[in-house]
Amino acid sequence: TLNDWAAMLYYDGEFYDSVSFPNLEILDRVGGGDSFASGLIYGLLSGKGPQYAVNCGCAHGALAMTTPGDTSTATLAEVEKVMKGGTARVDR
């Protein structure tokens, strides 16, 4: 149930490494990829740049896999907290 979680984005000829989550305790991996994609897309559409986008996707995916079910309930504030080094466990 412990996995390393990170991402890489190739955008406009450059690679961007995301924040990483070594030994992430996975509760339910269903929805992790969809949550990554939605965070990445949000980051790109918000105009905050590719580094923000890949970090947003990675953090959102990590949060999704630490909660049960396939639908993320993480808020943008929670995702941004994780992006800045907070734990990937949702505070509820």
Side-chain angles (χ1 to χ4, degrees):
T1 62
L2 295 178
N3 290 271
D4 294 341
W5 180 255
M8 180 181 286
L9 173 66
Y10 182 74
Y11 180 87
D12 200 23
E14 293 187 45
F15 287 98
Y16 297 87
D17 292 321
S18 73
V19 294
S20 63
F21 301 93
N23 295 316
L24 180 66
E25 187 174 353
I26 307 288
L27 178 64
D28 185 350
R29 69 175 63 250
V30 175
D34 291 342
S35 294
F36 168 79
S38 67
L40 178 73
I41 292 166
Y42 169 80
L44 293 172
L45 292 177
S46 69
K48 295 181 181 180
Q51 188 64 62
Y52 178 93
V54 73
N55 286 339
C56 188
C58 190
H60 193 220
L63 283 167
M65 291 189 299
T66 62
T67 56
D70 63 350
T71 303
S72 172
T73 58
T75 65
L76 178 58
E78 289 171 325
V79 171
E80 288 181 333
K81 178 181 173 185
V82 172
M83 289 168 61
K84 294 176 184 171
T87 179
R89 302 296 287 171
V90 174
D91 297 326
R92 297 265 193 262

XYZ file of all heavy atoms in Angstrom:
676
model
N 0.801 -1.213 0.000
C 0.000 0.000 0.000
C 0.841 1.274 0.000
O 0.280 2.345 -0.064
C -0.954 0.030 1.194
O -0.193 0.017 2.385
C -1.933 -1.108 1.164
N 2.144 1.153 0.095
C 3.018 2.332 0.024
C 3.623 2.412 -1.367
O 4.229 1.466 -1.843
C 4.132 2.253 1.066
C 3.701 2.303 2.518
C 4.912 2.162 3.430
C 2.945 3.574 2.833
N 3.457 3.539 -2.004
C 3.977 3.743 -3.357
C 4.573 5.137 -3.480
O 4.123 6.069 -2.826
C 2.848 3.613 -4.395
C 2.360 2.206 -4.541
O 2.877 1.446 -5.344
N 1.362 1.834 -3.751
N 5.570 5.260 -4.331
C 6.084 6.577 -4.671
C 5.163 7.179 -5.739
O 4.686 6.462 -6.618
C 7.510 6.475 -5.218
C 8.500 5.983 -4.170
O 8.188 6.070 -2.962
O 9.572 5.512 -4.560
N 4.914 8.460 -5.653
C 4.001 9.135 -6.585
C 4.636 10.434 -7.046
O 5.047 11.268 -6.232
C 2.665 9.390 -5.892
C 1.621 10.086 -6.710
C 1.238 11.385 -6.596
C 0.812 9.536 -7.750
N 0.243 11.679 -7.502
C -0.042 10.553 -8.223
C 0.724 8.286 -8.339
C -0.954 10.361 -9.236
C -0.195 8.098 -9.358
C -1.024 9.118 -9.788
N 4.763 10.595 -8.339
C 5.318 11.813 -8.932
C 4.894 11.839 -10.396
O 4.330 10.872 -10.909
C 6.833 11.848 -8.808
N 5.178 12.941 -11.059
C 4.815 13.066 -12.470
C 5.853 13.911 -13.194
O 6.653 14.619 -12.579
C 3.436 13.712 -12.608
N 5.810 13.819 -14.503
C 6.665 14.622 -15.354
C 5.814 15.119 -16.517
O 4.980 14.387 -17.042
C 7.834 13.794 -15.878
C 8.779 14.566 -16.772
S 10.122 13.550 -17.395
C 11.099 13.420 -15.920
N 6.027 16.352 -16.901
C 5.300 16.959 -18.010
C 6.296 17.425 -19.056
O 7.286 18.078 -18.727
C 4.486 18.159 -17.502
C 3.795 19.030 -18.548
C 2.703 18.261 -19.271
C 3.222 20.282 -17.881
N 6.037 17.084 -20.301
C 6.797 17.618 -21.425
C 5.919 18.669 -22.070
O 4.829 18.377 -22.568
C 7.151 16.512 -22.417
C 7.979 17.009 -23.583
C 9.320 17.330 -23.409
C 7.417 17.164 -24.843
C 10.084 17.798 -24.466
C 8.169 17.628 -25.905
C 9.499 17.941 -25.710
O 10.256 18.407 -26.762
N 6.361 19.907 -22.029
C 5.539 21.020 -22.497
C 6.413 22.025 -23.226
O 7.404 22.516 -22.669
C 4.865 21.682 -21.280
C 3.978 22.851 -21.610
C 2.644 22.662 -21.945
C 4.466 24.153 -21.562
C 1.823 23.741 -22.236
C 3.654 25.234 -21.851
C 2.336 25.022 -22.191
O 1.514 26.083 -22.479
N 6.062 22.308 -24.446
C 6.751 23.329 -25.244
C 8.272 23.107 -25.283
O 9.054 24.043 -25.133
C 6.409 24.725 -24.724
C 6.658 25.822 -25.753
O 6.669 25.526 -26.967
O 6.847 26.984 -25.334
N 8.664 21.837 -25.452
C 10.075 21.501 -25.600
C 10.866 21.360 -24.316
O 12.076 21.191 -24.354
N 10.197 21.438 -23.149
C 10.890 21.319 -21.865
C 10.199 20.293 -20.975
O 8.993 20.071 -21.073
C 10.918 22.659 -21.144
C 11.765 23.708 -21.840
C 11.911 24.963 -20.998
O 12.159 24.843 -19.785
O 11.757 26.054 -21.573
N 10.991 19.674 -20.087
C 10.470 18.739 -19.101
C 10.276 19.455 -17.769
O 11.110 20.272 -17.366
C 11.437 17.559 -18.896
C 11.446 16.598 -20.038
C 12.421 16.670 -21.015
C 10.472 15.613 -20.140
C 12.440 15.780 -22.071
C 10.478 14.720 -21.195
C 11.457 14.795 -22.160
N 9.199 19.113 -17.081
C 8.892 19.669 -15.767
C 8.605 18.506 -14.818
O 7.711 17.707 -15.063
C 7.663 20.594 -15.835
C 7.894 21.791 -16.713
C 7.660 21.731 -18.092
C 8.376 22.977 -16.180
C 7.896 22.830 -18.903
C 8.614 24.080 -16.987
C 8.369 23.992 -18.347
O 8.610 25.085 -19.143
N 9.387 18.405 -13.745
C 9.174 17.396 -12.712
C 8.241 17.957 -11.653
O 8.399 19.104 -11.227
C 10.491 17.003 -12.039
C 11.423 16.256 -12.980
O 10.921 15.439 -13.773
O 12.642 16.489 -12.911
N 7.332 17.126 -11.201
C 6.395 17.546 -10.160
C 7.008 17.396 -8.777
O 8.089 16.817 -8.612
C 5.131 16.683 -10.223
O 5.413 15.383 -9.734
N 6.258 17.883 -7.792
C 6.571 17.537 -6.412
C 6.460 16.016 -6.330
O 5.760 15.398 -7.134
C 5.591 18.205 -5.420
C 5.747 19.710 -5.423
C 4.156 17.832 -5.716
N 7.142 15.407 -5.387
C 7.065 13.949 -5.285
C 6.560 13.549 -3.908
O 6.717 14.281 -2.929
C 8.421 13.303 -5.573
O 9.358 13.704 -4.612
N 5.955 12.380 -3.871
C 5.395 11.828 -2.643
C 5.945 10.425 -2.444
O 5.332 9.445 -2.848
C 3.861 11.802 -2.722
C 3.264 13.160 -2.927
C 2.986 13.626 -4.199
C 3.022 13.990 -1.846
C 2.463 14.895 -4.402
C 2.495 15.264 -2.040
C 2.212 15.706 -3.318
N 7.135 10.326 -1.834
C 7.682 8.996 -1.577
C 6.880 8.302 -0.476
O 6.401 8.952 0.464
C 9.113 9.278 -1.126
C 9.117 10.685 -0.660
C 8.018 11.391 -1.399
N 6.705 7.020 -0.628
C 5.990 6.203 0.362
C 4.589 6.727 0.665
O 4.163 6.762 1.812
C 6.795 6.081 1.656
C 8.082 5.336 1.441
O 8.109 4.299 0.774
N 9.161 5.855 1.981
N 3.874 7.128 -0.372
C 2.488 7.586 -0.224
C 1.628 6.392 0.162
O 1.644 5.361 -0.512
C 1.992 8.195 -1.535
C 0.560 8.722 -1.547
C 0.433 9.924 -0.617
C 0.151 9.095 -2.959
N 0.902 6.521 1.253
C 0.035 5.430 1.693
C -1.276 5.489 0.906
O -2.095 6.380 1.095
C -0.245 5.532 3.189
C -0.990 4.330 3.722
C -1.144 4.353 5.228
O -0.568 5.234 5.884
O -1.860 3.480 5.740
N -1.430 4.522 0.013
C -2.594 4.483 -0.883
C -3.769 3.804 -0.180
O -3.643 2.680 0.285
C -2.269 3.707 -2.178
C -1.009 4.241 -2.847
C -3.463 3.686 -3.118
C -1.139 5.566 -3.499
N -4.892 4.477 -0.129
C -6.110 3.884 0.410
C -6.917 3.258 -0.720
O -7.425 2.147 -0.602
C -6.934 4.934 1.146
C -8.262 4.465 1.715
C -8.039 3.406 2.787
C -9.039 5.634 2.285
N -7.039 3.974 -1.838
C -7.826 3.498 -2.986
C -7.263 4.167 -4.236
O -7.393 5.363 -4.412
C -9.289 3.886 -2.780
C -10.234 3.341 -3.846
O -9.751 2.803 -4.864
O -11.450 3.462 -3.649
N -6.618 3.372 -5.102
C -5.964 3.997 -6.257
C -6.934 4.345 -7.393
O -6.558 5.042 -8.330
C -4.785 3.163 -6.751
C -5.028 1.902 -7.370
C -3.746 1.240 -7.921
N -2.735 0.888 -6.953
C -1.555 1.510 -6.832
N -1.233 2.497 -7.606
N -0.700 1.123 -5.938
N -8.173 3.929 -7.308
C -9.157 4.272 -8.333
C -9.375 5.784 -8.325
O -9.626 6.377 -7.282
C -10.496 3.547 -8.096
C -11.553 4.013 -9.089
C -10.302 2.046 -8.193
N -9.235 6.410 -9.467
C -9.452 7.848 -9.592
C -8.190 8.680 -9.530
O -8.237 9.881 -9.780
N -7.050 8.067 -9.213
C -5.807 8.819 -9.116
C -5.389 9.434 -10.440
O -4.950 10.585 -10.496
N -5.530 8.680 -11.511
C -5.162 9.189 -12.833
C -6.098 10.280 -13.322
O -5.655 11.284 -13.885
N -7.392 10.077 -13.089
C -8.367 11.106 -13.478
C -8.144 12.397 -12.693
O -8.241 13.493 -13.239
C -9.793 10.614 -13.245
C -10.200 9.496 -14.181
O -9.542 9.320 -15.229
O -11.172 8.789 -13.865
N -7.839 12.247 -11.415
C -7.592 13.427 -10.586
C -6.307 14.124 -11.007
O -6.230 15.359 -10.996
C -7.526 13.031 -9.112
O -8.792 12.574 -8.692
N -5.284 13.330 -11.376
C -4.067 13.939 -11.907
C -4.393 14.753 -13.156
O -3.996 15.904 -13.283
C -3.004 12.884 -12.236
C -1.880 13.456 -13.037
C -0.886 14.191 -12.420
C -1.843 13.323 -14.421
C 0.140 14.773 -13.167
C -0.826 13.884 -15.168
C 0.158 14.614 -14.538
N -5.139 14.139 -14.075
C -5.468 14.812 -15.338
C -6.259 16.092 -15.089
O -5.980 17.129 -15.709
C -6.246 13.874 -16.255
N -7.220 16.044 -14.182
C -8.030 17.241 -13.946
C -7.195 18.349 -13.306
O -7.360 19.526 -13.633
C -9.258 16.914 -13.094
O -8.896 16.534 -11.787
N -6.280 17.998 -12.405
C -5.408 19.003 -11.811
C -4.466 19.607 -12.840
O -4.230 20.813 -12.851
N -3.917 18.755 -13.708
C -3.034 19.227 -14.775
C -3.778 20.169 -15.719
O -3.298 21.263 -16.034
C -2.471 18.040 -15.553
C -1.559 18.384 -16.721
C -0.213 18.885 -16.226
C -1.361 17.173 -17.620
N -4.954 19.776 -16.142
C -5.756 20.602 -17.054
C -6.133 21.924 -16.388
O -6.039 22.992 -16.999
C -6.994 19.837 -17.544
C -6.558 18.671 -18.450
C -7.973 20.757 -18.255
C -7.643 17.647 -18.717
N -6.539 21.857 -15.119
C -6.857 23.096 -14.405
C -5.645 24.022 -14.397
O -5.755 25.221 -14.661
C -7.301 22.817 -12.960
C -7.365 24.090 -12.153
C -8.460 24.939 -12.271
C -6.308 24.479 -11.333
C -8.502 26.137 -11.584
C -6.341 25.677 -10.642
C -7.439 26.500 -10.771
O -7.483 27.693 -10.096
N -4.487 23.457 -14.082
C -3.271 24.269 -14.028
C -2.942 24.909 -15.359
O -2.544 26.075 -15.413
N -3.101 24.165 -16.434
C -2.811 24.716 -17.761
C -3.828 25.786 -18.155
O -3.463 26.838 -18.686
C -2.770 23.604 -18.807
C -1.608 22.614 -18.667
C -1.786 21.442 -19.633
C -0.267 23.304 -18.883
N -5.109 25.530 -17.892
C -6.146 26.491 -18.273
C -6.140 27.749 -17.403
O -6.600 28.799 -17.841
C -7.530 25.836 -18.223
C -7.799 24.766 -19.270
C -9.184 24.147 -19.064
C -7.673 25.341 -20.670
N -5.613 27.633 -16.182
C -5.587 28.800 -15.297
C -4.480 29.783 -15.666
O -4.431 30.884 -15.125
C -5.413 28.358 -13.836
O -4.109 27.837 -13.632
N -3.577 29.359 -16.579
C -2.514 30.240 -17.029
C -1.377 30.405 -16.034
O -0.595 31.347 -16.141
N -1.259 29.488 -15.082
C -0.224 29.607 -14.059
C 1.067 28.903 -14.443
O 1.992 28.855 -13.650
C -0.747 29.080 -12.733
C -1.899 29.923 -12.200
C -2.396 29.420 -10.877
C -3.564 30.285 -10.404
N -4.086 29.835 -9.127
N 1.131 28.369 -15.643
C 2.361 27.783 -16.148
C 2.453 26.278 -15.974
O 1.730 25.678 -15.186
N 3.361 25.665 -16.731
C 3.475 24.202 -16.728
C 3.978 23.630 -15.405
O 3.568 22.534 -15.024
C 4.451 23.907 -17.866
C 5.160 25.182 -18.134
C 4.247 26.275 -17.722
N 4.847 24.338 -14.678
C 5.316 23.802 -13.392
C 4.169 23.727 -12.396
O 3.989 22.729 -11.700
C 6.465 24.651 -12.827
C 7.109 24.031 -11.584
C 7.771 22.706 -11.897
O 8.700 22.652 -12.690
N 7.299 21.633 -11.287
N 3.379 24.778 -12.328
C 2.195 24.768 -11.471
C 1.262 23.645 -11.895
O 0.738 22.910 -11.056
C 1.464 26.115 -11.539
C 0.198 26.161 -10.725
C 0.208 26.614 -9.418
C -1.016 25.742 -11.276
C -0.952 26.652 -8.661
C -2.181 25.769 -10.523
C -2.149 26.220 -9.222
O -3.298 26.243 -8.472
N 1.048 23.489 -13.191
C 0.106 22.498 -13.700
C 0.500 21.077 -13.317
O -0.333 20.298 -12.842
C -0.022 22.624 -15.220
N 1.766 20.712 -13.500
C 2.182 19.346 -13.179
C 2.157 19.125 -11.663
O 1.796 18.043 -11.195
C 3.543 18.986 -13.807
C 4.701 19.669 -13.112
C 3.746 17.481 -13.846
N 2.485 20.147 -10.891
C 2.394 20.020 -9.429
C 0.949 19.890 -8.975
O 0.634 19.106 -8.078
C 3.053 21.209 -8.738
C 4.555 21.153 -8.801
O 5.155 20.097 -9.002
N 5.188 22.304 -8.622
N 0.071 20.645 -9.593
C -1.351 20.591 -9.261
C -1.919 19.208 -9.581
O -2.649 18.619 -8.780
C -2.094 21.684 -10.035
S -3.818 21.888 -9.578
N -1.587 18.682 -10.733
C -2.057 17.350 -11.107
C -1.534 16.283 -10.167
O -2.289 15.411 -9.717
N -0.269 16.337 -9.848
C 0.332 15.336 -8.974
C -0.284 15.398 -7.575
O -0.622 14.375 -6.986
C 1.840 15.527 -8.933
S 2.677 14.172 -8.103
N -0.420 16.594 -7.045
C -1.001 16.753 -5.709
C -2.451 16.289 -5.678
O -2.877 15.606 -4.743
C -0.897 18.213 -5.268
N -3.226 16.637 -6.697
C -4.626 16.229 -6.731
C -4.750 14.707 -6.845
O -5.586 14.093 -6.178
C -5.358 16.927 -7.878
C -6.841 16.798 -7.797
N -7.614 16.577 -8.909
C -7.701 16.837 -6.747
C -8.886 16.500 -8.545
N -8.957 16.659 -7.243
N -3.901 14.095 -7.668
C -3.902 12.641 -7.770
C -3.538 11.982 -6.455
O -4.141 10.982 -6.057
N -2.542 12.532 -5.751
C -2.137 11.979 -4.458
C -3.277 12.071 -3.446
O -3.554 11.112 -2.718
C -0.903 12.707 -3.938
N -3.937 13.216 -3.409
C -5.070 13.373 -2.492
C -6.187 12.383 -2.809
O -6.791 11.808 -1.907
C -5.607 14.807 -2.551
C -4.787 15.846 -1.808
C -5.239 17.246 -2.200
C -4.894 15.647 -0.310
N -6.457 12.184 -4.081
C -7.529 11.267 -4.469
C -7.235 9.842 -4.018
O -8.150 9.111 -3.628
C -7.738 11.308 -5.982
N -5.985 9.450 -4.058
C -5.649 8.067 -3.704
C -5.539 7.843 -2.199
O -5.418 6.707 -1.754
C -4.350 7.651 -4.396
C -4.529 7.525 -5.894
S -3.112 6.805 -6.712
C -1.831 7.987 -6.335
N -5.600 8.905 -1.416
C -5.570 8.742 0.034
C -6.971 8.812 0.630
O -7.125 8.849 1.849
C -4.661 9.794 0.704
O -5.173 11.095 0.444
C -3.233 9.666 0.206
N -7.979 8.855 -0.226
C -9.374 8.847 0.220
C -10.130 7.756 -0.525
O -9.755 7.387 -1.638
C -10.056 10.210 -0.061
O -9.945 10.512 -1.452
C -9.419 11.323 0.744
N -11.187 7.205 0.078
C -11.931 6.128 -0.599
C -12.781 6.658 -1.746
O -13.207 7.804 -1.745
C -12.810 5.558 0.511
C -12.973 6.669 1.490
C -11.709 7.488 1.407
N -12.993 5.808 -2.736
C -13.873 6.141 -3.855
C -13.133 6.703 -5.037
O -11.932 6.965 -4.981
N -13.873 6.883 -6.127
C -13.244 7.335 -7.367
C -13.529 8.787 -7.703
O -13.191 9.250 -8.774
C -13.663 6.433 -8.526
C -15.156 6.472 -8.798
O -15.901 7.047 -7.991
O -15.574 5.908 -9.814
N -14.112 9.529 -6.779
C -14.408 10.936 -7.007
C -13.684 11.776 -5.970
O -13.855 11.573 -4.770
C -15.928 11.208 -6.910
O -16.603 10.373 -7.844
C -16.246 12.655 -7.198
N -12.875 12.705 -6.428
C -12.131 13.559 -5.506
C -13.060 14.565 -4.848
O -13.935 15.140 -5.490
C -11.031 14.312 -6.261
O -10.433 15.259 -5.415
N -12.841 14.765 -3.566
C -13.564 15.803 -2.836
C -12.602 16.878 -2.341
O -12.977 17.712 -1.528
C -14.334 15.205 -1.641
O -13.396 14.551 -0.787
C -15.397 14.220 -2.112
N -11.367 16.851 -2.835
C -10.360 17.822 -2.417
C -10.690 19.204 -2.969
O -11.134 19.346 -4.105
C -8.984 17.385 -2.900
N -10.461 20.201 -2.160
C -10.656 21.579 -2.592
C -9.363 22.103 -3.210
O -8.282 21.539 -3.002
C -11.039 22.482 -1.404
O -9.927 22.530 -0.495
C -12.284 21.966 -0.694
N -9.453 23.208 -3.929
C -8.265 23.829 -4.496
C -7.295 24.222 -3.384
O -6.081 24.050 -3.513
C -8.639 25.039 -5.348
C -7.476 25.805 -5.971
C -6.615 24.896 -6.858
C -7.994 26.999 -6.756
N -7.808 24.719 -2.272
C -6.943 25.093 -1.147
C -6.177 23.884 -0.624
O -4.987 23.985 -0.301
C -7.770 25.725 -0.032
N -6.833 22.724 -0.543
C -6.156 21.505 -0.093
C -5.086 21.072 -1.091
O -3.977 20.684 -0.699
C -7.163 20.373 0.117
C -8.063 20.578 1.318
C -9.190 19.577 1.400
O -9.722 19.153 0.348
O -9.545 19.205 2.532
N -5.399 21.154 -2.370
C -4.429 20.783 -3.398
C -3.222 21.703 -3.331
O -2.068 21.245 -3.344
C -5.067 20.806 -4.810
C -4.020 20.626 -5.888
C -6.152 19.743 -4.924
N -3.441 22.991 -3.214
C -2.329 23.946 -3.159
C -1.505 23.778 -1.881
O -0.298 23.975 -1.896
C -2.840 25.369 -3.328
C -3.283 25.626 -4.765
C -3.773 27.022 -5.025
O -4.273 27.681 -4.076
O -3.666 27.473 -6.186
N -2.129 23.379 -0.789
C -1.403 23.099 0.450
C -0.444 21.922 0.236
O 0.714 21.974 0.648
C -2.380 22.792 1.577
C -1.732 22.442 2.888
C -2.783 22.130 3.936
C -2.150 21.605 5.209
N -3.166 21.184 6.173
N -0.913 20.890 -0.434
C -0.074 19.723 -0.722
C 1.044 20.106 -1.692
O 2.181 19.659 -1.555
C -0.928 18.557 -1.272
C -0.063 17.423 -1.759
C -1.892 18.068 -0.203
N 0.738 20.951 -2.658
C 1.746 21.406 -3.614
C 2.906 22.115 -2.903
O 4.036 22.077 -3.368
C 1.119 22.359 -4.637
C 0.195 21.677 -5.619
S -0.789 22.842 -6.589
C 0.461 23.777 -7.454
N 2.610 22.760 -1.787
C 3.616 23.520 -1.050
C 4.343 22.672 -0.016
O 5.100 23.202 0.790
C 2.963 24.721 -0.379
C 2.437 25.746 -1.357
C 1.702 26.868 -0.655
C 1.099 27.817 -1.672
N 0.207 28.776 -1.058
N 4.082 21.366 -0.005
C 4.802 20.493 0.908
C 3.957 19.907 2.028
O 4.487 19.217 2.897
N 2.669 20.176 2.017
C 1.802 19.581 3.031
C 1.613 18.097 2.771
O 1.934 17.582 1.718
N 1.094 17.422 3.750
C 0.845 15.993 3.634
C -0.271 15.714 2.623
O -1.156 16.552 2.430
C 0.485 15.379 4.985
O 0.226 13.984 4.813
C -0.742 16.028 5.615
N -0.209 14.557 1.993
C -1.233 14.185 1.018
C -2.458 13.551 1.694
O -3.351 13.088 1.014
C -0.665 13.230 -0.029
N -2.510 13.562 3.001
C -3.690 13.099 3.707
C -4.669 14.251 3.790
O -4.302 15.378 4.135
C -3.349 12.618 5.118
C -2.323 11.497 5.159
C -2.771 10.231 4.513
N -3.744 9.560 5.332
C -4.420 8.521 4.910
N -4.244 8.035 3.713
N -5.296 7.942 5.683
N -5.916 14.016 3.451
C -6.917 15.079 3.473
C -7.267 15.422 4.908
O -7.497 14.537 5.735
C -8.199 14.643 2.706
C -9.289 15.663 2.841
C -7.866 14.403 1.245
N -7.293 16.698 5.236
C -7.709 17.167 6.565
C -9.199 17.386 6.550
O -9.692 18.313 5.918
C -7.004 18.489 6.910
C -5.500 18.354 7.004
O -5.045 17.283 7.436
O -4.799 19.320 6.651
N -9.915 16.555 7.251
C -11.376 16.707 7.344
C -11.766 16.734 8.793
O -11.236 16.119 9.622
C -12.103 15.553 6.636
C -11.828 15.490 5.155
C -12.922 16.229 4.389
N -12.864 15.941 2.976
C -12.289 16.729 2.080
N -11.703 17.821 2.446
N -12.316 16.428 0.815
